[in-house]
Amino acid sequence: MIFNSTPARVSLSAFCLLLLVSPLFAAPGVQIKPAPAWVIPVTASGKPASAKDVAGGYYLAFSDYQVNLDEQSVYTHYTRQIISESGIQNGSDITVAFDPTYEKLDFHQVTVWRDGKGTSQLQPAEIKIMPLETDRQRFIYNGHYTASLILKDIRKGDRIEVAYSRKGWNPVFQGKYSDFLHFDTFDYTQHQHVAIIADQKRALIFKEFNKPLTRKLTAGNGKNVYEWELMNVKPVAYDDFAPEWYSKSPFVQVTEFRSWKEVVDWGLGFYGETKLSGPLKSKVAGWRKEGESNSEFIGKVVRFVQDEIRYLGVETGENTHRPHSPGQVFQQRYGDCKDKAFLLCAMLRDQGIECDPVLVNTYKRAHLSEFLPSPTDFNHVVVRIEEFSGVPGRSNTKIFRFVDPTIALQGGSLSTISFPPYGQGLLLRKGQIQPISIPLQGTGNISITEDIYLPKRGDTLMSGHIQVKTVYFESLADEIRSMFQQTVMSKTEDAYLNYYREIYKNAELELADTLTYYDQRDANNFSLLENYALKNAWQYDSVSGRAYFGLQGKVLHDQLRILPKKSRKDPVSLQYPYHNTYKIRVHMPEYSNIKKESWRIERAAYTVAFSSDFVPKEGVWELSYEYNVLQDHVAPENVAEFREDMSRLTKNLGLELLAPDSGSSSGRSLNWVTLLLALCTAAGCAVLLRKLYYFSPLKGQASEPALPFGSWILLTGVQMVLHPIVAFFNLALSGGMIYFSTVGWNAMSAQSGLVSSLYKVSLVFEIVVSTVIFCFSILLAILYFKKRDSFPQLFSYFLIGNLVFAIVGLIEAQTIYAEVAGFNGDIIYQQFIIALISAAIWLPYYYQSKQVAQTFVNTYPPTEPEEYMYEETPEAAENDPGAVQRDEA
């Protein structure tokens, strides 16, 4: 809801989407009358503006604003000085807005002065009365009108003098006056005068902000006259990205409300207890009969008001602040923030659930208590709901949930529903004497992972791929859910594609699959999956003669405040709260030497973290970012620090993957020495394994036929199938990026001679052992499926060898590989634990199991089986699950 104002001027203005009404009356009339007798005469003075102080081709030579509280009237008088041709265009129209439901507009003067001679252009027939609905796009219809005059024959050097009065205040404020008097201007003002005229019995309270000029008080005839007079007033300049609540312009707040309790009592008159009836009563009672818990019932009512009562404001007269009845809002199925808040409270109160409206300000937010008590402090209405914790031992503990009834399509339950960070609000509850603090609730976060699969350099046939996974949580899920429901999917898909085309403008990007989203409303998260085909990803740098791929973390960059390098006096607004965890994973076709880096910055208003690492076994360069906003602004004294932090983060959001120089010793070419070593090792293994294949511990011994595979032995079979595959992957694919490239061989060349030598020795050792493991696992698989008698013994040696290899890996992890970028020691520890557990399980089993001894019995060369007969009782057969069941037929 947004409250509008005139001199009583309590304007709960525009954020909560309210007012809608098509006026039901004829266009109002405007009269031409002399100025009111109570107006204080003022003689214009001051210094004319210089050319550098003028914008738009004109300035105000005089500005007079006078308020008479007893007459409920406001007098406005100003003079425009036209100094250029652009001023003729921009300053020749007169427009006055007013609300005809309680205001009367009287024009007193419209005079054009030229060469000391004045010509009146105030003609009744020239005044055009038109509806003013500038907020229609936000579903706000306020019934305001404008009275406009299009002046004729305006020339450079003319002075346009205008005077008018608006009489009548909105009765919703019950005759009490509240307003903000601002002593700044959009245009240079040569002389500014402001006055309030009030009966001496009226107790006005004033509060000054940003050191305005001292007011002058004149008493006489039972009246007090409060005056402010300023000369040569220039616009106050603000730095970019100043917070909405921040002001350094001088202004004065004035109010007749002596305490917050008076404001609460004023508001309670609109949101009192209301008994439901008719369809609305039946609706609520029907929900209650479904037997749901209080939390479930409240959640159902909240979603109904948010989603099924559309936002639409009908605000004329008292309905700028007085809500319509819950029954009317339910019947018409629309309302503004105050209507929806009242309806929500009425439905919950009907079932004995405590809840109250809360007045908030979407701009002042947590700074609300800095102002005097007044309805002018607010522009929105939300609801606070009470419920009991339900925690054993503390079941009577109250928990307060805040709900904004104007936010549609929210997800989550009552305990997880998100709420904007309004900071403070005035609870409309009997006995409330001051604003309350509103805690953060469901602030939300976003997780983004970009996987970029690069094609090989120079390969024009194969295309790369970009996959983007984004998950929005809580409040951010609410926002993206609403956006997707209000946009055309095909246009959204094009927009997302064009976004990444702009990032990688030197490459070719096309959709590889449709944009897919998953909305888990109950859990309140919203997931997006994007897939793009990437061609010509690599660019060529003619200076270095090397290819490169440029990375741009634009998704995060767009959320940052990037400040120019200049002095600044104002605070910097931040999107608050906001938490983004962002990863870019570059899958590279070949190994590349990546710089390892990690840092974290923690400030009062935000935290920033970055890490760069390379995962050799996956061939992935992983960039991780975190940006968490903890306050809504950065204080002026911390701006330089903030600018430096954002600059550091920005530099790491735009990185280049530089292809190795193929002509250098550290290039990306194949390492023939290590490849030859692996091939020679494989050849040696072939000779050795041939002999092991002939190895037969039971050679020449007769044995019963082998039992079928069963029990735990089948698990070994799974291992035998997977071992050669995993071993080959580790050797040729994952480890091969290091083992068989010159980049991997020279990765530690920058280290000391000892470390570099140990690193190369460890590579040789790993290549040899990995090749032996691969070859040996193939032999074991063959022996297993042939049920050879040598399998248990050789498998045991294999387990012991794996454990020894894992122990050596632990030593390398502590001494050598910790220096390699992208090395993850946790993987080595995991491999050691797996090898240890595997040996601990299988070694005892294969040495003690009778089933193993009766399964792996085939010798080399095969022994001819002896024919024999046997009989076996049914009981014995049942007790031996591995026994062969003969077909007596």
Side-chain angles (χ1 to χ4, degrees), residues 15 79 138 169 171 240 401 416 418 518 524-525 674 811 883:
F15 181 86
T79 302
R138 293 184 295 138
W169 292 354
D240 293 337
R401 309 292 185 191
T416 60
S418 66
Y518 307 90
N524 204 13
N525 62 69
T674 54
I811 298 173

Side-chain angles (χ1 to χ4, degrees), residues 217-379:
L217 172 61
T218 304
N221 299 323
K223 304 286 185 183
N224 282 336
V225 179
Y226 305 90
E227 291 183 275
W228 296 263
E229 204 157 11
L230 298 84
M231 303 293 174
N232 313 318
V233 183
K234 297 181 180 181
V236 176
Y238 288 84
D239 294 321
D240 293 337
F241 309 120
E244 291 178 325
W245 51 261
Y246 173 73
S247 175
K248 58 183 179 182
S249 303
F251 67 96
V252 172
Q253 185 183 10
V254 55
T255 181
E256 289 188 275
F257 289 85
R258 293 170 296 176
S259 66
W260 289 110
K261 181 180 180 301
E262 283 192 23
V263 182
V264 170
D265 293 341
W266 167 82
L268 283 175
F270 307 141
Y271 298 93
E273 294 289 340
T274 300
K275 291 187 177 180
L276 304 187
S277 61
L280 177 55
K281 176 69 174 179
S282 300
K283 183 82 169 178
V284 175
W287 282 340
R288 201 50 156 167
K289 287 180 181 178
E290 294 176 2
E292 297 174 323
S293 66
N294 260 11
S295 293
E296 292 171 328
F297 172 75
I298 294 170
K300 183 173 290 186
V301 175
V302 168
R303 281 200 176 180
F304 171 79
V305 175
Q306 288 182 326
D307 297 349
E308 298 190 40
I309 304 297
R310 76 181 189 274
Y311 182 83
L312 197 71
V314 178
E315 294 212 0
T316 58
E318 290 197 23
N319 286 120
T320 55
H321 294 74
R322 181 186 296 278
H324 295 84
S325 70
Q328 179 183 349
V329 176
F330 175 78
Q331 182 180 15
Q332 66 195 18
R333 294 297 178 102
Y334 67 78
D336 56 28
C337 67
K338 62 186 184 296
D339 295 332
K340 298 180 74 162
F342 194 17
L343 173 61
L344 177 58
C345 287
M347 296 174 75
L348 296 179
R349 288 170 176 171
D350 182 76
Q351 297 299 315
I353 297 171
E354 292 293 329
C355 58
D356 301 286
V358 182
L359 303 182
V360 298
N361 191 295
T362 58
Y363 301 112
K364 296 184 178 76
R365 298 202 171 194
H367 300 269
L368 180 64
S369 58
E370 299 173 7
F371 297 88
L372 294 174
S374 167
T376 58
D377 293 327
F378 308 101
N379 71 344

Side-chain angles (χ1 to χ4, degrees), residues 31 147 162 178 183 865:
Q31 295 184 328
V162 179
S178 299
F183 304 105

Side-chain angles (χ1 to χ4, degrees), residues 33 58 61 84 125 179 236 272 286 324 358 368 427 435 441 511 526 584 647 779 808:
K33 293 182 178 180
Y58 72 90
S84 70
D179 203 0
V236 176
H324 295 84
V358 182
L368 180 64
L427 183 70
Q441 182 177 302
L511 281 174
F526 192 98
I584 302 177
S647 176
L779 173 66
V808 173

